[in-house]
Amino acid sequence: MASEEELFASVDALLNEEPHLPPPAERARLREAAGITQARLATALKTTTQSVKNWENGRSEPKSPRLDAYQRLLNGWAAKYPAPGAAPTASAPTRAPAASSEPAASAVETAHVPQTLAAPAAGPARPAAAARRPGAAKAAQPTADPRFPHGPLAVLDGDGCAYGVDGIVLDCPATSVVELVEWTLRASGLGAPRLHRNGKDSDPLIVLTAAAAVKLGLPERLEGHEQRRSLRLPEDHPVVQQVVKAKWRLTQRGFGPWARIYRKIQGRERQCVQLAVLSWGALDERSWPGVAEMEPADVARVLGVYAQRVITPRGSTAVSGLELMTALRPPTRAVQDPQTGNWVPGHNPGSLGTEPVDPAPPEATPEHPVVVDSGWSGGFLNEEAYQWVRDVSLLSDEECTLPYAVGLDLNTAFLAAAARLVVGLSAPDHFVGPVFNPKIPGSWLVDLSHVEVDPRLPSPFTPDGTRPTGPAWYQTHTVAYAQELGYNVTPLEGYLRRETGAYLDPWHDRLKAAYVDTLADLGVTKELTDVEFLAAMERHKDADPAMAAVLAAIKATVKGGIGKLRERPQGRKYKEGERWPALERPTWRPDIRAAVISKARINMHRKLRNMATMTGLYPLAVLSDCVVYPSPGDSPLAFLPYAASGKPQPGGFRLGPTPGLAKLEGVQSMLWAVDLMEQGYNPARHIKGGDAVLDEGE
């Protein structure tokens, strides 16, 4: 017979066990008796409505400390609302998640919550105090798609906490990369719906902190002598072998800072998880300033807002910019086979299709096979952004006596140029002596050396602003501008495209909205006066570092996405004339890149010309989308043209927060600017002061 001491020890052991919850049906009855919705209860316990639903249908259970808070609440309700005709229901034993027949499915619901967020013991549940950092109210909201209740991504720390959007924290039980992939696909509730009805859903993204990487068997740092972008784990690394053994695959890029782990599609289900390793440099400081050093919850907030407004990151911002084009213009759509009646993939009009298209020789790069194999020596398109400085001998005495040099920067100039831009969608056809048509996108061999331009302005036809000396290849917008200036153009040859469309329009629209909305979050809105706008821009980066990082990433997405359209070969082993991986993409389209840059440069020149006409002012220098003017005051307000009503004059530079409008880049003395010009340097590159260098081609 047991002794009293043994009995008391057994009882104490029971008292020390985790609190037990009543059966799932009773949990729902108690909540309904209290008049509380599942959504309101989820708010009080800092979890999701889907989690509450799962607790009430027996699919999963909470863990401490949320378990304790939920138990306290249910006990209070049980005392107030006993079951009809019975004593208050006794608590029933709860299955621990590990003992569940679906262990992975229950793991997603076991989110951590501070003890201070325990709900009241009785009475209506009230929303708990927000346990977020300042500014968290601006975080991206979880997608409304019921397939992805927890948003597009999560940041995993070394303690198994997966931080998602809007303050959600999931409990991740994975101790290996394989377990992490399977948990993500089966239990995390992560992912994002397609951006176009003919497209594909975004794969869930898991971002690993250094501690999480080590816990999963990965090295904290990825070392090597190659370029950072090409670093990866060796194929014999234990983690890579575990992935392969579990019948998962890695893309050709292997296991690097951005790793895509997938299985072939089975039925309609896509099985793919994207991993990003912070300590391996997944988030480049130039595109994501300060983000890699943030706390996991803040990293999740930054990436979550970007995912909501742009796309779930799939690599560098350049990669994401290119992927966004395809996501918004999917290459295929479902079409009905007239013979069988079955639905099959067919070309989606307005897209670039599924097969890569070789460029015309003058549109290619010198190492491209179409150039090397054909022995092409007819020259190349040189549609690049401006790098121009006015000859100091052309400065007037009046200009030299002005006290200031003021730099203006155009907001996302390449994005503004992409609006309503008609580009070629098909392969180029060669023509001899074609009649110029400004509506046909392509490349034209034409002599523009006869076009007269004021020497105080750069030539609109060359990146360095020098006057052309003979026939050269130009994109359609450049030739059309010569016509706009009143000159006849007679092309000698042309590589033109018959199928055309505004391919970049949805890309432009989405990124423009993202840019404007993010600036608004930082206090820079369309309603501001020019004086208020300049003041808001001066302090916007300090308003919220997380949102400032999102803004930087959006700008880098524009620049990088356009740059990826003509990605050059990488690696020391490349030999001229060989094809490189980027050429196998339908989005390797140097002609589209040329069209964007040509239009951006022409837009800049048109404004420079209008400014000279309206104000008599001429620029000192231009670098991409930054222009420096001599000024009587230390603000753009001192020289920008305004009507008597106070409104900006159309045609010149205007201040504002939308793409194509201008902001202040920097102010220096006129003596400083002239000194740089005399030394052969470009004042636009250094107008910010200090060691700042303009990020060309924003």
Side-chain angles (χ1 to χ4, degrees):
M1 187 172 181
S3 66
E4 182 179 359
E5 184 177 346
E6 290 173 329
L7 290 172
F8 272 88
S10 298
V11 170
D12 288 341
L14 289 174
L15 290 173
N16 289 330
E17 281 189 5
E18 286 190 343
H20 294 149
L21 300 175
E26 178 64 6
R27 303 170 200 174
R29 187 196 70 78
L30 290 171
R31 177 185 53 76
E32 292 168 356
I36 302 300
T37 64
Q38 290 177 327
R40 192 171 175 190
L41 177 55
T43 300
L45 293 177
K46 298 302 296 172
T47 186
T48 64
T49 304
Q50 185 62 47
S51 296
V52 173
K53 289 180 180 178
N54 289 345
W55 300 340
E56 292 185 356
N57 63 25
R59 185 179 172 192
S60 64
E61 305 290 345
K63 278 187 178 179
S64 292
R66 185 171 285 118
L67 173 61
D68 305 81
Y70 191 31
Q71 173 69 34
R72 184 181 178 195
L73 178 61
L74 292 174
N75 285 345
W77 282 342
K80 287 188 71 173
Y81 312 109
T89 306
S91 295
T94 306
R95 288 185 304 172
S100 168
S101 59
E102 296 182 3
S106 64
V108 70
E109 314 304 340
T110 57
H112 293 279
V113 62
Q115 292 284 1
T116 54
L117 300 186
R126 294 171 295 179
R132 302 177 190 153
R133 292 164 181 78
K138 294 176 183 173
Q141 297 298 315
T143 174
D145 194 311
R147 297 172 300 156
F148 312 117
H150 297 134
L153 55 88
V155 181
L156 183 64
D157 70 9
D159 295 326
C161 293
Y163 294 83
V165 298
D166 199 36
I168 291 174
V169 186
L170 309 175
D171 214 14
C172 175
T175 58
S176 70
V177 168
V178 170
E179 288 179 3
L180 175 61
V181 170
E182 292 175 350
W183 171 83
T184 302
L185 291 173
R186 297 176 186 174
S188 71
L190 295 173
R194 64 198 67 187
L195 297 180
H196 186 282
R197 61 191 179 92
N198 293 323
K200 299 175 181 177
D201 296 332
S202 284
D203 300 318
L205 167 64
I206 301 292
V207 181
L208 304 179
T209 63
V214 171
K215 178 183 177 181
L216 297 172
L218 298 168
E220 182 174 346
R221 305 282 170 189
L222 196 57
E223 305 293 346
H225 300 293
E226 299 181 46
Q227 301 178 51
R228 183 193 65 80
R229 62 189 297 170
S230 60
L231 288 176
R232 65 192 72 182
L233 289 179
E235 292 185 6
D236 61 354
H237 190 279
V239 170
V240 176
Q241 292 182 330
Q242 289 167 12
V243 169
V244 174
K245 185 177 180 181
K247 296 192 171 12
W248 290 98
R249 297 186 177 192
L250 292 163
T251 61
Q252 289 185 345
R253 285 194 172 273
F255 205 125
W258 289 89
R260 192 168 293 179
I261 302 176
Y262 71 99
R263 278 182 181 149
K264 284 190 174 181
I265 296 176
Q266 298 177 349
R268 297 179 62 119
E269 292 299 316
R270 177 180 171 87
Q271 296 189 73
C272 183
V273 174
Q274 181 85 53
L275 300 182
V277 188
L278 290 178
S279 57
W280 294 4
L283 298 182
D284 191 305
E285 175 67 18
R286 294 168 297 179
S287 303
W288 303 95
V291 178
E293 307 305 319
M294 291 180 179
E295 293 295 319
D298 292 322
V299 176
R301 179 178 170 232
V302 171
L303 297 180
V305 173
Y306 180 90
Q308 179 201 38
R309 295 179 178 175
V310 182
I311 193 172
T312 303
R314 303 181 184 184
S316 66
T317 47
V319 168
S320 296
L322 198 67
E323 294 269 355
L324 181 63
M325 295 180 195
T326 304
L328 294 169
R329 292 278 198 191
T332 61
R333 63 172 180 169
V335 296
Q336 197 165 25
D337 186 322
Q339 311 229 330
T340 65
N342 295 331
W343 290 93
V344 295
H347 175 66
N348 186 26
S351 76
L352 296 180
T354 58
E355 297 299 321
V357 173
D358 275 342
E363 298 167 345
T365 56
E367 66 271 19
H368 195 287
V370 301
V371 174
V372 176
D373 294 347
S374 66
W376 174 261
S377 59
F380 298 94
L381 280 177
N382 191 20
E383 299 288 9
E384 301 295 339
Y386 270 132
Q387 295 193 51
W388 170 83
V389 180
R390 200 199 318 175
D391 189 324
V392 289
S393 67
L394 297 175
L395 293 175
S396 68
D397 292 342
E398 184 182 4
E399 287 176 316
C400 290
T401 57
L402 290 171
Y404 297 103
V406 176
L408 290 176
D409 180 63
L410 298 185
N411 302 323
T412 55
F414 287 174
L415 184 61
R420 298 179 298 282
L421 174 66
V422 176
V423 300
L425 302 178
S426 54
D429 291 320
H430 182 233
F431 296 87
V432 176
V435 176
F436 178 69
N437 185 334
K439 294 184 178 180
I440 298 178
S443 304
W444 310 78
L445 180 62
V446 61
D447 189 349
L448 299 179
S449 61
H450 61 292
V451 178
E452 294 282 349
V453 177
D454 191 304
R456 293 168 293 181
L457 293 176
S459 165
F461 309 126
T462 60
D464 63 3
T466 58
R467 185 168 175 170
T469 56
W473 288 97
Y474 301 98
Q475 202 276 333
T476 298
H477 279 87
T478 305
V479 184
Y481 189 60
Q483 274 195 339
E484 182 182 321
L485 295 176
Y487 292 85
N488 290 326
V489 293
T490 308
L492 304 174
E493 290 182 61
Y495 282 94
L496 313 177
R497 287 170 169 80
R498 300 177 188 275
E499 187 182 342
T500 66
Y503 173 72
L504 293 173
D505 256 11
W507 186 81
H508 161 271
D509 294 348
R510 186 165 177 85
L511 284 167
K512 177 183 177 180
Y515 181 82
V516 171
D517 290 348
T518 306
L519 260 184
D521 285 339
L522 292 166
V524 186
T525 60
K526 298 178 184 178
E527 295 75 27
L528 300 178
T529 65
D530 283 1
V531 173
E532 293 169 337
F533 169 75
L534 290 173
M537 285 301 296
E538 192 171 346
R539 59 177 182 266
H540 80 283
K541 289 185 179 179
D542 300 323
D544 184 341
M547 296 306 292
V550 174
L551 186 69
I554 292 169
K555 293 192 288 186
T557 302
V558 173
K559 174 193 170 188
I562 296 299
K564 275 278 186 182
L565 292 169
R566 195 189 68 165
E567 184 177 356
R568 304 292 285 269
Q570 309 292 330
R572 292 170 294 183
K573 297 180 181 178
Y574 175 76
K575 293 181 181 178
E576 192 174 81
E578 292 179 346
R579 294 188 72 83
W580 58 95
L583 300 188
E584 306 313 314
R585 297 193 312 248
T587 48
W588 197 86
R589 291 294 300 272
D591 57 301
I592 296 180
R593 173 186 177 274
V596 172
I597 298 176
S598 166
K599 186 178 174 185
R601 196 183 66 246
I602 295 306
N603 286 348
M604 171 67 83
H605 193 276
R606 190 180 288 111
K607 287 183 170 65
L608 297 175
R609 192 163 51 90
N610 290 341
M611 283 285 289
T613 301
M614 290 187 288
T615 67
L617 289 176
Y618 291 86
L620 301 176
V622 184
L623 180 66
S624 188
D625 41 24
C626 177
V627 56
V628 178
Y629 274 100
S631 172
D634 62 353
S635 165
L637 302 175
F639 65 89
L640 289 179
Y642 290 88
S645 64
K647 292 185 176 181
Q649 292 277 26
F653 294 102
R654 293 177 52 190
L655 299 175
T658 53
L661 297 187
K663 57 182 179 288
L664 176 64
E665 180 71 11
V667 180
Q668 300 288 342
S669 72
M670 185 65 179
L671 287 174
W672 170 91
V674 173
D675 184 50
L676 278 184
M677 294 165 71
E678 288 177 338
Q679 296 181 61
Y681 296 117
N682 191 324
R685 187 181 294 278
H686 307 284
I687 192 73
K688 274 187 176 180
D691 295 323
V693 175
L694 188 74
D695 192 9
E696 299 172 37
E698 174 184 301

